[in-house]
Amino acid sequence: MAEYYSEFPYLIFFIWIGGILVSFSMGSFYSTLAYRILRFYYGKERKIGSKLFRLKKILIEPSSCESCGTQIKGASIIPVFGYWISKKECRNCKAPINPLYSLCEAVFGLLFVVSFLLSGKLLGSFAFVALCGHLLVAASTDFKKFSLDYENLPFIVLFGALANYLLFDSVPGKAELIVYVSFSAVFFLIYFIFPASMGFADAIFAPAFAFLSIHPWWIFFLNSSYGIAIIITVLKRKKGESLRQVPIPMGVYFSIGLVLTFIARMLSNSGLLPNWADLIL
């Protein structure tokens, strides 16, 4: 990145600002996509029209107020800032706007900043942000409905593989194939022996996520996913309630674990860590 900047020093500012703005827009797209998938595939509107009709509603329909259905126009549609410009409410019905949309858009911008700062690779950072978008969709459906969309998995694998190549010059090899097969064998064995402890979709998604983590980083992925899941579950459970009785949306934690794994890999490759940190990462 330094060599590129030395040739085009005046582009640095525009690259950063443009990248952040594009990431804001990607956050707006993916947060809306997650909401609409829940609405048209899991909500009351899942029986309305054909699959093609619902797909068009998900991908093409302009953004509108969740309360009155009025189309959002003008400055109110601007990612992150539109929430504040519209004074946190619909201009038509005055219903409050969910602040999670603006927060999600800002987080996507932050993810780009972290990725581009650590890697210096613009296209790789965009691929990483797109991967995070599809992980957001997976986490949203699992958190709300304890369900993972199989149709979303090919996009996760596609953008995960693309991010691996553009960020780390890495392509799957024999080691990654062994990781995938091993994870699949273990997770499906657990599913069939203890079906109440794991969902079928978890046994499909987890090996794919480990595959994308790249050997030996699947260890970091596995530990971070289950570590966060255990900590949050313990903190959220009711007093005296057994952990075995608490339903855990592992798709959420697998998604978080994969994002953290990519960031940890970028951090490890950045040269910003002291030598002793390489022993951990």
Side-chain angles (χ1 to χ4, degrees):
M1 182 174 68
E3 294 178 358
Y4 181 82
Y5 283 172
S6 64
E7 295 180 12
F8 306 97
Y10 299 106
L11 289 180
I12 299 176
F13 174 79
F14 295 102
I15 290 173
W16 273 105
I17 296 300
I20 292 172
L21 292 178
V22 169
S23 299
F24 283 166
S25 298
M26 293 174 71
S28 177
F29 170 77
Y30 282 113
S31 59
T32 302
L33 179 64
Y35 165 75
R36 290 182 179 181
I37 287 177
L38 286 169
R39 173 183 169 187
F40 290 106
Y41 281 96
Y42 294 91
K44 295 180 180 180
E45 296 178 73
R46 67 183 184 279
K47 297 181 179 180
I48 298 178
S50 64
K51 290 184 178 180
L52 181 59
F53 171 79
R54 294 194 298 273
L55 185 62
K56 289 181 179 179
K57 296 284 282 185
I58 289 173
L59 297 177
I60 300 176
E61 185 179 79
S63 297
S64 58
C65 173
E66 296 179 11
S67 298
C68 67
T70 301
Q71 184 176 338
I72 302 174
K73 298 180 180 180
S76 297
I77 200 69
I78 298 175
V80 180
F81 305 106
Y83 172 74
W84 306 98
I85 293 174
S86 60
K87 298 180 180 179
K88 309 178 186 179
E89 63 182 18
C90 172
R91 293 185 175 181
N92 180 58
C93 67
K94 304 302 180 183
I97 298 173
N98 192 335
L100 286 178
Y101 288 108
S102 179
L103 177 62
C104 181
E105 292 158 0
V107 168
F108 271 70
L110 178 61
L111 288 169
F112 170 82
V113 169
V114 171
S115 178
F116 194 41
L117 182 65
L118 294 177
S119 70
K121 297 180 179 180
L122 183 63
L123 294 180
S125 296
F126 283 142
F128 171 66
V129 172
L131 169 64
C132 293
H134 287 281
L135 291 175
L136 171 65
V137 173
S140 298
T141 58
D142 200 41
F143 179 76
K144 288 288 188 178
K145 302 295 181 177
F146 286 94
S147 176
L148 290 166
D149 279 329
Y150 301 110
E151 297 87 350
N152 188 31
L153 185 57
F155 293 99
I156 293 175
V157 173
L158 172 63
F159 285 109
L162 189 61
N164 268 320
Y165 178 73
L166 294 175
L167 289 172
F168 311 110
D169 297 321
S170 175
V171 294
K174 182 179 179 180
E176 285 67 46
L177 181 59
I178 293 174
V179 168
Y180 177 77
V181 173
S182 300
F183 258 75
S184 297
V186 172
F187 272 70
F188 273 108
L189 184 63
I190 295 174
Y191 171 75
F192 286 116
I193 296 178
F194 307 103
S197 65
M198 179 180 297
F200 183 77
D202 293 333
I204 293 178
F205 275 67
F209 286 14
F211 175 81
L212 292 174
S213 298
I214 303 295
H215 180 72
W217 285 92
W218 61 267
I219 302 173
F220 184 96
F221 159 73
L222 189 65
N223 288 333
S224 60
S225 299
Y226 278 100
I228 295 173
I230 292 172
I231 292 172
I232 293 180
T233 303
V234 169
L235 293 176
K236 288 182 62 179
R237 69 171 176 168
K238 299 177 182 178
K239 187 177 181 179
E241 186 179 22
S242 172
L243 283 177
R244 295 181 179 180
Q245 299 174 345
V246 180
I248 303 175
M250 281 309 303
V252 174
Y253 302 113
F254 286 148
S255 298
I256 295 173
L258 186 57
V259 172
L260 292 178
T261 300
F262 268 80
I263 292 176
R265 290 171 62 195
M266 285 186 275
L267 183 60
S268 178
N269 291 348
S270 68
L272 298 176
L273 294 175
N275 294 333
W276 58 265
D278 291 333
L279 299 175
I280 301 176
L281 297 177

